[in-house]
Amino acid sequence: MALLIKGGEVVTADARLRADILVEGETIRAIGSGLAVPPGAEVIDAAGKLVFPGFIDPHVHIYLPCKGSFAADTHSTASRAALAGGTTTYIEMCGPNRHEDALEGYNTWKRRAEGASACDYAFHMTVSRWDEKTEAQLRQIVADGVTSFKIYLAYKGLFGLSDDEMVQVLRFARGMGVVTAAHCENADEISRLQQQFLAEGKTGPEWHEHSRPESVEAEGTARFAKHIEATGAEGYVVHVSCAPALGAALDAKRRGANIHIESVLPHLLLDKTCAERPGIEGFKNVMSPPLRDERNHAALWTALDEGLIDIIGTDHCPFTTAQKMEGRDDFTQIPNGVPGIEDRVNLIYTYGVQRGRLNLCRFVDVLSTRPAKIFGLYPRKGAIAVGSDADIVVYDPGYRGSITAARQYTNNDYNCYEGWPIEGRPTIVTVRGKVQVRDGVFVGEQGRGRLIRRTPRPA
Ligand code: URP
Ligand code: ZN
């Protein structure tokens, strides 16, 4: 059925205009004022509403093995959560560890999503070792439409690469036209500090940040950036949490390195005192890089507003309270990561746009258009344009409500933003022309989501 979205203010990364949008089939057919209603079309009254391109979360973990169990979301639950919050495409970290076969891992991750996701999705492929098989396997994975790799400088022995391996991956990625995302923390320094604190009897979640200080992230970021410059590869620093790491990435950018910068929701809104809360509350707020001293927020928001930070993702990791409490006697055993896929758009709208920290076009850019451009989804995604996928969010800036785990689609038993007021919410969310959410409620088709295959961009 055709859809006519009438009378809203269309907001893209570079313009705001009052216009109607006609959707036929899966794509946007026309944009203009006073468009006629085609026979049988559903008319969506968008007067007083903002109309955005579907939002893209470029950093999520859904199928996430951890210490013999799994984080709680499936693609069914995570995609409904994403859609309720206005995210119509996510890019999942496909994450086999260095003891597993990369290609088998890729196929496992793919199977988990097939027929389950209600929104579109793609994958970043984690490269957790480099050996004689790796190159051939990665060629197959790239040929299947995966044009971004993920590497870890942290988590030595499980996901972490040596510097020699990192250079091999970057040279290969450059030749293939693939962007490499990196988790930049110095693994050796973290191990040394963790052992020191545990030996001193410092076992609680409040010690997590001290074991991974800002200097550890800044060093990892500078080292990754140095290798990006030396190899001429395209890099993407994930979850930059603090001013020193941001500075290291920006220095490289200024020298001409082809490097993009991501920050994630928790680092913009939460701070290290959340992990210092008593009882189970502290455990819920453990992630890596850790939540930082609040003084970092201003540096991150300013860099976002100025376009120096490219993207806001979530690093969605839906561990339950019970899983978090596995680290009750040893903070190094707390599963790292917090959920956020459902709340990113509303929280950034409320605490970014509504508080004057981010203008509306930058809001669209950091949450939709730049992820689409950097990760090869544009202009199919990340745009309101004739011929683009009809992934559209009709957004009510007059909505007032608050966040609570009791009403969330995300499959876990807490929300780090419990009780936070929100000032805005999607009223209609479409995926390729089909309405999947009305007024915060998933009304769509589970399994509608498609794997979006991308094309590499060799230099
Ligand atoms: O704490 C986090 N971020 N866990 C997920 C793994 C990662 O580093 O992205
Ligand atoms: Zn992550």
Short mmCIF file of all heavy atoms in Angstrom, two decimals, residues 59 61 93 150 152 239 315, ligand 2:
data_model
loop_
_atom_site.label_atom_id
_atom_site.label_comp_id
_atom_site.label_asym_id
_atom_site.label_seq_id
_atom_site.Cartn_x
_atom_site.Cartn_y
_atom_site.Cartn_z
N HIS A 59 26.71 0.44 15.92
CA HIS A 59 27.53 -0.30 16.89
C HIS A 59 26.62 -0.99 17.90
O HIS A 59 26.26 -0.41 18.92
CB HIS A 59 28.49 0.66 17.60
CG HIS A 59 29.47 -0.02 18.51
ND1 HIS A 59 30.63 0.60 18.94
CD2 HIS A 59 29.49 -1.26 19.06
CE1 HIS A 59 31.30 -0.22 19.72
NE2 HIS A 59 30.61 -1.36 19.82
N HIS A 61 25.72 -4.99 19.81
CA HIS A 61 25.99 -6.41 20.04
C HIS A 61 24.64 -7.03 20.40
O HIS A 61 23.99 -6.58 21.34
CB HIS A 61 26.95 -6.59 21.21
CG HIS A 61 28.27 -5.89 21.03
ND1 HIS A 61 29.41 -6.54 20.62
CD2 HIS A 61 28.62 -4.59 21.19
CE1 HIS A 61 30.41 -5.67 20.55
NE2 HIS A 61 29.96 -4.48 20.89
N MET A 93 28.09 -6.19 15.57
CA MET A 93 29.45 -6.71 15.63
C MET A 93 29.37 -8.22 15.57
O MET A 93 28.89 -8.86 16.52
CB MET A 93 30.13 -6.30 16.94
CG MET A 93 30.28 -4.82 17.14
SD MET A 93 31.47 -4.13 15.97
CE MET A 93 31.21 -2.37 16.26
N LYS A 150 36.19 -5.12 12.43
CA LYS A 150 36.35 -4.60 13.80
C LYS A 150 37.57 -5.28 14.39
O LYS A 150 37.71 -6.50 14.27
CB LYS A 150 35.09 -4.95 14.62
CG LYS A 150 35.22 -4.78 16.15
CD LYS A 150 35.02 -3.34 16.58
CE LYS A 150 35.13 -3.15 18.08
NZ LYS A 150 33.96 -3.62 18.81
N TYR A 152 40.27 -5.30 18.00
CA TYR A 152 40.41 -4.91 19.40
C TYR A 152 41.89 -4.79 19.75
O TYR A 152 42.67 -5.69 19.46
CB TYR A 152 39.79 -5.97 20.31
CG TYR A 152 38.29 -6.06 20.25
CD1 TYR A 152 37.65 -6.82 19.27
CD2 TYR A 152 37.49 -5.40 21.18
CE1 TYR A 152 36.26 -6.91 19.22
CE2 TYR A 152 36.10 -5.48 21.13
CZ TYR A 152 35.50 -6.24 20.15
OH TYR A 152 34.13 -6.32 20.10
N HIS A 239 33.57 4.05 20.24
CA HIS A 239 33.30 4.53 21.60
C HIS A 239 34.41 5.36 22.26
O HIS A 239 34.93 5.00 23.31
CB HIS A 239 32.82 3.40 22.52
CG HIS A 239 33.59 2.10 22.48
ND1 HIS A 239 34.95 2.02 22.44
CD2 HIS A 239 33.14 0.82 22.49
CE1 HIS A 239 35.31 0.76 22.43
NE2 HIS A 239 34.25 0.02 22.45
N ASP A 315 26.71 0.92 21.27
CA ASP A 315 27.44 -0.22 21.85
C ASP A 315 26.49 -1.06 22.71
O ASP A 315 26.85 -1.52 23.79
CB ASP A 315 28.64 0.26 22.67
CG ASP A 315 29.67 -0.84 22.87
OD1 ASP A 315 29.46 -1.95 22.36
OD2 ASP A 315 30.67 -0.59 23.56
ZN ZN B 2 31.03 -2.79 21.12
#
